[in-house]
Amino acid sequence: MSKTIGIDLGTTNSYVGLFGYAQGATIKNLTLSGGSVRGAMYLGALVGTAENCTITGCFNEAEVQSVGTKVGSIAGLATGTTIDSSGNFGIVSSTCHDSPIVGGFVGQSYANDVTNNFTNSFNRGHVIVAVGQAASPSAGHIGGLVAYSGSSRVNIVNCYNTGDTVAYAMGGAGVVGSYKTTGYMTITNTYYVRGNAYYQQAFMDAYSDWTSAAGSGTVEKWDASSMKTQNFATTLNSKVFIYNASI
């Protein structure tokens, strides 16, 4: 049975969310409706930091507002965590000027020798680093689904983003902002449907044909009508991005 919870949290602290820090938890069938969640680092509407958790069937409709980094809707930071059949509708924003890590779904995927799995999920909210171009933050990571994957194994499968990524910073993109070259990442049947991504890398914008060794490729654009065809579904499922630092 699912449950809807109204949420309105405001603080200047870190580790903020309905659950500020969750370890070894199973969280399922929750919807956060309306309101906003405000804080500093490790900020997520559902979970600030999720360590070795399983999150299933959870959705966020609240706006997430941060003055810090490691910010997302479902989780600000995830390590050893599986998130399945979940999604975000709310705006995720930060005014951080120093290395912002801001994702529409998860801020940072991190930790050595563990795996994060993000499956069958979506982001429909805009992701905004709310500073002027003249005051661009340094070395930022902004992604429609995941902002930054660092030193971890992460699998992103059957996910999409339809929100705009507005970032006057480095490393902004429609799906994953950037990743650390010591990590391992696969992206399968995952795409960015619409919107604008300013200062974005050519990284998983709408759909990409990647070379696994270099972790780079050519972005192919699909319009709305062609994305409804069987050809798009077939093509998307035939291309898998794999980045393996050991190659």
Side-chain angles (χ1 to χ4, degrees):
M1 183 174 65
S2 62
K3 185 174 182 62
T4 299
I5 299 174
I7 189 167
D8 193 359
L9 297 174
T11 179
T12 57
N13 295 330
S14 298
Y15 298 100
V16 178
L18 180 65
F19 305 99
Y21 194 110
Q23 186 175 42
T26 296
I27 305 170
K28 61 182 181 180
N29 302 334
L30 284 177
T31 296
L32 305 179
S33 68
S36 63
V37 179
R38 305 173 300 281
M41 295 176 60
Y42 303 103
L43 171 66
L46 184 68
V47 184
T49 292
E51 179 180 355
N52 300 324
C53 293
T54 299
I55 299 171
T56 306
C58 291
F59 301 91
N60 173 60
E61 299 172 355
E63 183 172 353
V64 179
Q65 303 171 344
S66 174
V67 296
T69 185
K70 298 179 178 63
V71 184
S73 61
I74 301 301
L77 183 143
T79 175
T81 289
T82 292
I83 305 176
D84 180 63
S85 301
S86 298
N88 174 56
F89 297 92
I91 294 172
V92 180
S93 67
S94 175
T95 56
C96 177
H97 286 255
D98 185 14
S99 301
I101 298 175
V102 186
F105 191 66
V106 171
Q108 182 168 347
S109 170
Y110 185 78
N112 293 318
D113 302 321
V114 297
T115 300
N116 287 319
N117 295 297
F118 308 136
T119 57
N120 307 311
S121 296
F122 64 84
N123 172 56
R124 297 185 187 177
H126 299 323
V127 182
I128 303 169
V129 176
V131 295
Q133 189 170 7
S136 298
S138 62
H141 310 279
I142 295 88
L145 284 170
V146 178
Y148 180 57
S149 176
S151 298
S152 67
R153 299 177 65 92
V154 57
N155 301 307
I156 303 174
V157 182
N158 299 339
C159 295
Y160 70 88
N161 168 45
T162 64
D164 287 350
T165 303
V166 181
Y168 295 109
M170 297 172 58
V175 172
V176 176
S178 59
Y179 59 93
K180 193 170 183 178
T181 56
T182 55
Y184 178 92
M185 177 167 56
T186 65
I187 301 175
T188 308
N189 194 25
T190 292
Y191 54 94
Y192 180 30
V193 179
R194 59 169 290 275
N196 301 298
Y198 303 101
Y199 292 86
Q200 72 174 6
Q201 304 169 354
F203 185 50
M204 211 54 197
D205 177 18
Y207 146 79
S208 299
D209 183 6
W210 294 95
T211 57
S212 61
S216 61
T218 302
V219 174
E220 298 183 17
K221 299 288 187 179
W222 296 72
D223 61 28
S225 60
S226 66
M227 290 179 76
K228 297 176 183 178
T229 65
Q230 181 61 44
N231 181 52
F232 173 74
T234 301
T235 304
L236 190 68
N237 280 281
S238 69
K239 308 294 185 180
V240 179
F241 166 71
I242 300 175
Y243 180 81
N244 186 346
S246 65
I247 293 176

